[in-house]
Amino acid sequence: MNAFEEYMREVSQPMRDELTNAGFEELLTPGQVEEFMANNDTPTLVMINSVCGCAAGLARPAVIESLNHDKKPSKLVTVFAGQDREATARMRDFFENVEPSSPSIALVNKGQLVHFIPRDEIEGFEKEDIINNLTKAYNEYC
């Protein structure tokens, strides 16, 4: 690992911890993504994490707070755009006809994308708007 990669890992660790401390499982390799998607048959929240401000100020806090809802996904996973590039690219392969976006939030069920919130529905929105978007999807799909 070169000095830049090591620095970015160090800088992004608190951003990773914010999600793992909330119960998210990190998928770090394409193989982990493939195995998870092939074997998971329950509603799952997928957070495509990012170092940007809208991930820090909106996406991660909204996702975590949305989990206080009565109906919610059974599983929580995350990939980190810009850090775990291959895992993120592999996860995005499962989101057919969706432009790559980070941060973004997906709800999948039985390996199929059922709801997606791209960056342009995160950045410039209120945290409550994102929470409402998620809880509506939870009510429908979980």
Side-chain angles (χ1 to χ4, degrees):
M1 184 182 307
N2 69 34
F4 175 75
E5 289 169 337
E6 190 172 322
Y7 170 77
M8 289 307 295
R9 282 254 174 234
E10 209 172 283
V11 166
S12 66
Q13 192 60 52
M15 300 167 207
R16 292 172 181 274
D17 293 346
E18 189 174 355
L19 292 176
T20 57
N21 290 340
F24 281 77
E25 174 189 354
E26 281 191 297
L27 303 178
L28 303 172
T29 67
Q32 288 176 329
V33 170
E34 288 170 20
E35 182 179 340
F36 182 83
M37 293 299 278
N39 297 313
N40 181 47
D41 61 354
T42 63
T44 299
L45 190 63
V46 179
M47 172 72 196
I48 298 182
N49 204 354
S50 173
V51 297
C52 72
C54 65
L58 294 168
R60 288 191 301 270
V63 162
I64 292 166
E65 194 170 322
S66 77
L67 299 173
N68 293 325
H69 192 60
D70 290 338
K71 284 183 112 178
K72 59 188 171 194
S74 305
K75 296 193 178 169
L76 311 169
V77 297
T78 182
V79 293
F80 206 117
Q83 296 293 306
D84 305 317
R85 290 180 179 90
E86 296 84 8
T88 303
R90 185 64 188 113
M91 182 60 79
R92 287 177 172 153
D93 289 343
F94 288 96
F95 305 158
E96 292 181 21
N97 303 315
V98 173
E99 289 292 317
S101 174
S102 58
S104 57
I105 308 160
L107 188 60
V108 298
N109 194 10
K110 298 178 181 163
Q112 299 298 310
L113 178 66
V114 295
H115 189 75
F116 189 78
I117 303 175
R119 179 188 179 113
D120 65 3
E121 292 179 27
I122 297 170
E123 189 174 36
F125 284 76
E126 296 295 323
K127 182 175 76 166
E128 291 72 25
D129 296 329
I130 302 161
I131 293 167
N132 289 337
N133 187 332
L134 286 167
T135 56
K136 279 184 190 174
Y138 298 166
N139 285 336
E140 186 171 347
Y141 299 107
C142 296

